[in-house]
Amino acid sequence: MAKPLYVAVSTQKGGAGKTTLTAILASYLYYVRNIDLAVVDCDYPQWSLFRLRERDLALSEKSERMRKAVHDTWKARGLSPYIIEQSTPEDALEYATMLGDTAPAPQIIFFDLPGTINNKHVINLITRMDYIFCPMTTDPLVFETSVTFANNVQNQLIGTGKAGSIKGLYMLWNRVTSRERSKLQTLMEGFIGKLGIPVLETALPDSSKFRKEGQADKRMSVFRSTIMPPDRPLLKGSGIDELVSEISGIIGI
């Protein structure tokens, strides 16, 4: 049985959108592309993804409209929601191994990692990833910490041979306005290019839709959810379709 791909959307500071992107990518791949996957939330002690799942399920129990939408989603695909395991960094690989032994085995296991590399367990996790996607924004503080994280992984782990499992490290733009993309983004990409770290072509816009969770209203439009895919009308202009296609081509699914 083939080992699942270990994939992390990771950086070392809040504000770059790593947890939101992990949730949206996992739900899109699972509910839209029918890719078997699981998530290990080891971002201790926040466990934001695990708590998002709790909110999703609680709302589906309270709202008849949400319950029907969730039922229709699962029935149409013959699925149940993908597994989200709550873990500490030191136990995350053990959980991943157990998930890899389930049937059907997941093709991908996403890891929501803590926002630090000053921890031996987190460093060990990073070295075991197959692919790492590091989000960044044009906010100078977020940009600096994201690039520092990626550069440290590139130089101190990949470059020294301590991260034998990593097949690819990529940076990606998140929460970018059209004005920033034409000026500041170009300047910043020049700096990243000198570090030899590849940047994905897809840039995600700064939009409130990325924070839109389920609500007990008539439209039932959802974007960030672990029990439903992003709402199709909301996907327009979000860049998620393009990002999933680009990432799928890189990791080979």
Side-chain angles (χ1 to χ4, degrees), residues 87-100:
S87 175
T88 58
E90 52 265 42
D91 295 330
L93 290 172
E94 182 178 350
Y95 277 106
T97 299
M98 290 189 295
L99 290 169

Side-chain angles (χ1 to χ4, degrees), residues 191-213:
F191 174 75
I192 299 170
K194 294 178 181 178
L195 300 177
I197 303 171
V199 180
L200 297 185
E201 293 183 6
T202 307
L204 303 180
D206 185 17
S207 172
S208 61
K209 70 176 67 177
F210 285 88
R211 298 180 290 278
K212 187 172 182 58
E213 298 182 11

Side-chain angles (χ1 to χ4, degrees), residues 29 40 62 64 68 84 86 101 115 175 178 182 185 188 201 210 236 251:
L29 287 167
V40 178
K62 293 179 181 178
E64 183 177 348
K68 183 180 184 304
I84 300 179
Q86 185 180 26
D101 290 335
R175 299 177 178 171
S178 57
S182 64
Q185 183 184 354
M188 289 176 164
E201 293 183 6
F210 285 88
K236 184 177 181 181
I251 67 178

Side-chain angles (χ1 to χ4, degrees), residues 7-212:
V7 178
V9 180
S10 183
T11 184
Q12 70 180 40
K13 186 183 184 303
K18 69 180 181 67
T19 298
T20 291
L21 286 178
T22 301
I24 293 173
L25 288 173
S27 293
Y28 187 107
L29 287 167
Y30 186 76
Y31 298 114
V32 178
R33 295 284 182 88
N34 292 323
I35 301 295
D36 288 320
L37 58 86
V39 175
V40 178
D41 184 356
C42 44
D43 191 6
Y44 171 86
Q46 296 84 244
W47 288 311
S48 299
L49 267 175
F50 188 83
R51 289 174 180 168
L52 173 59
R53 167 63 59 81
E54 290 182 327
R55 293 198 301 275
D56 287 338
L57 292 175
L59 180 59
S60 71
E61 292 175 359
K62 293 179 181 178
S63 167
E64 183 177 348
R65 293 181 185 278
M66 175 64 83
R67 186 162 56 250
K68 183 180 184 304
V70 170
H71 177 267
D72 291 346
T73 294
W74 296 354
K75 182 179 179 181
R77 293 161 178 79
L79 300 170
S80 57
Y82 54 86
I83 294 172
I84 300 179
E85 288 286 359
Q86 185 180 26
S87 175
T88 58
E90 52 265 42
D91 295 330
L93 290 172
E94 182 178 350
Y95 277 106
T97 299
M98 290 189 295
L99 290 169
D101 290 335
T102 58
Q107 292 177 252
I108 304 170
I109 297 180
F110 281 100
F111 290 77
D112 192 21
L113 303 180
T116 179
I117 56 173
N118 296 321
N119 178 299
K120 66 178 182 180
H121 300 295
V122 176
I123 293 173
N124 183 48
L125 268 176
I126 292 172
T127 65
R128 300 290 293 276
M129 295 298 106
D130 291 295
Y131 295 95
I132 299 173
F133 298 93
C134 178
M136 58 184 170
T137 76
T138 52
D139 178 283
L141 183 58
V142 176
F143 175 79
E144 181 180 357
T145 54
S146 295
V147 171
T148 298
F149 168 80
N151 196 42
N152 284 339
V153 173
Q154 180 91 327
N155 293 329
Q156 298 179 22
L157 299 178
I158 299 176
T160 60
K162 296 179 180 178
S165 296
I166 299 180
K167 301 178 179 67
L169 166 67
Y170 300 83
M171 302 201 72
L172 69 103
W173 287 108
N174 191 28
R175 299 177 178 171
V176 180
T177 69
S178 57
R179 177 178 57 82
E180 289 171 332
R181 289 181 63 180
S182 64
K183 296 181 180 179
L184 189 56
Q185 183 184 354
T186 302
L187 180 64
M188 289 176 164
E189 281 194 9
F191 174 75
I192 299 170
K194 294 178 181 178
L195 300 177
I197 303 171
V199 180
L200 297 185
E201 293 183 6
T202 307
L204 303 180
D206 185 17
S207 172
S208 61
K209 70 176 67 177
F210 285 88
R211 298 180 290 278
K212 187 172 182 58

